[in-house]
Amino acid sequence: ATYQSGQYTLYDRTIRDHNTYGWGTITYLEGFQRSSNTAMAKQLEVMGADTLFDYLGKFGFGARTEIDLPNEATGTLLHNNPIERVTTAYGQGTTVTPIQLIQGLTAIANNGKMMQPYVIDKIVNPTTGEVTLDSEPIVKGTPISEETAKTMRELLASTVYAEAGNAKKFQIEGYEVAGKTGTAQMPNANGIGYAWGKNEFLYSFLGMAPKDDPQLVMYVAIAKPKLAAVEIGADPVSQVFDSVMQNSLKY
């Protein structure tokens, strides 16, 4: 299916793509690869807000992951009015934590089974050798089917390798990567409105490798980088992701 990219109007509000003129009439697949806000807004019309927020709940957003660390935040899913539901569809306004993103991605990496994250693998009494804690993998839920998970890995890989993909900088030698870039506005210090400009955004990448049988998932976010005139937000993020992911996979 195709749609007209560039902008999407809801009542008196206009949602724009990062390329404000758009790319003409393109497929939703290309819109996904190009991080098109209007693609997600139009997909929301097809999916419906109830379905979207039902899935966000199944993937663990808006709730603690119950990781073994104190003071975990839940994030807030904004859906009080139509514009909040649209902005949530393409990842703005609604807040999530990095560990929620990691937990959600495990469902795609693990053929539909979403895994409970944990930090401590084992605690052993140094005197007696008694194991006082031995963490075991726990399936948190199955928000999607195995078939859907495999399809999503292909779609996420296409953002890295397709001609229209905006995540080409996340290619690493020897392994096929699947993932998605993120660009978010950050609130102003006074809490009023959002900062604007390429040095004012939060840039991120949520990815996994190898694509067909993921062994590692990783989330990297860099806030307000000092970019050179010729640099884009993916540059510093990819420098971290590519190095850490490749060396970790080799290990």
Side-chain angles (χ1 to χ4, degrees), residues 4-231:
Q4 178 62 43
S5 62
Q7 62 183 40
Y8 175 92
T9 301
L10 181 68
Y11 303 128
D12 61 339
R13 299 286 295 275
T14 299
I15 304 300
R16 291 181 173 84
D17 287 325
H18 56 87
N19 170 6
T20 55
Y21 297 103
W23 304 271
T25 299
I26 59 176
T27 63
Y28 281 100
L29 173 59
E30 184 175 340
F32 180 72
Q33 294 164 351
R34 293 188 183 277
S35 292
S36 167
N37 294 341
T38 60
M40 298 299 104
K42 290 176 182 288
Q43 280 289 295
L44 181 65
E45 290 184 355
V46 178
M47 177 185 286
D50 289 345
T51 302
L52 172 65
F53 283 90
D54 179 52
Y55 270 108
L56 288 174
K58 288 179 179 178
F59 273 94
F61 297 107
R64 293 181 177 87
T65 66
E66 305 299 340
I67 195 170
D68 44 348
L69 293 170
N71 303 320
E72 182 184 6
T74 62
T76 302
L77 301 180
L78 293 185
H79 55 82
N80 294 320
N81 57 60
I83 194 67
E84 287 184 348
R85 294 190 279 273
V86 170
T87 56
T88 292
Y90 61 82
Q92 298 264 23
T94 277
T95 55
V96 302
T97 68
I99 201 66
Q100 285 174 335
L101 290 169
I102 290 290
Q103 176 180 262
L105 191 65
T106 64
I108 298 172
N110 204 45
N111 291 330
K113 296 179 181 178
M114 188 171 73
M115 306 305 294
Q116 164 81 51
Y118 59 88
V119 174
I120 299 171
D121 178 43
K122 185 180 293 187
I123 297 176
V124 180
N125 186 311
T127 303
T128 65
E130 178 189 4
V131 177
T132 57
L133 175 69
D134 191 1
S135 299
E136 293 289 338
I138 297 173
V139 177
K140 193 77 171 287
T142 51
I144 52 175
S145 67
E146 180 176 353
E147 180 182 5
T148 298
K150 290 179 178 178
T151 298
M152 279 308 307
R153 291 202 296 272
E154 295 292 338
L155 292 176
L156 290 167
S158 78
T159 75
V160 182
Y161 298 98
E163 182 180 351
N166 70 348
K168 293 186 180 71
K169 291 180 181 290
F170 296 89
Q171 297 177 18
I172 58 177
E173 186 178 354
Y175 304 95
E176 192 170 5
V177 175
K180 186 73 190 70
T181 58
T183 305
Q185 291 172 252
M186 300 185 67
N188 289 316
N190 61 9
I192 301 173
Y194 292 86
W196 186 262
K198 75 173 191 176
N199 290 322
E200 300 297 322
F201 297 147
L202 174 70
Y203 298 100
S204 62
F205 187 73
L206 178 66
M208 66 189 115
K211 182 254 299 181
D212 292 328
D213 183 21
Q215 300 299 306
L216 295 172
V217 297
M218 187 187 308
Y219 176 69
V220 178
I222 297 181
K224 298 186 177 183
K226 293 178 173 61
L227 299 172
V230 296
E231 283 187 310

Side-chain angles (χ1 to χ4, degrees), residues 233-247:
D235 285 310
V237 179
S238 63
Q239 288 166 19
V240 177
F241 180 91
D242 296 359
S243 174
V244 175
M245 179 60 86
Q246 186 177 41
N247 282 293

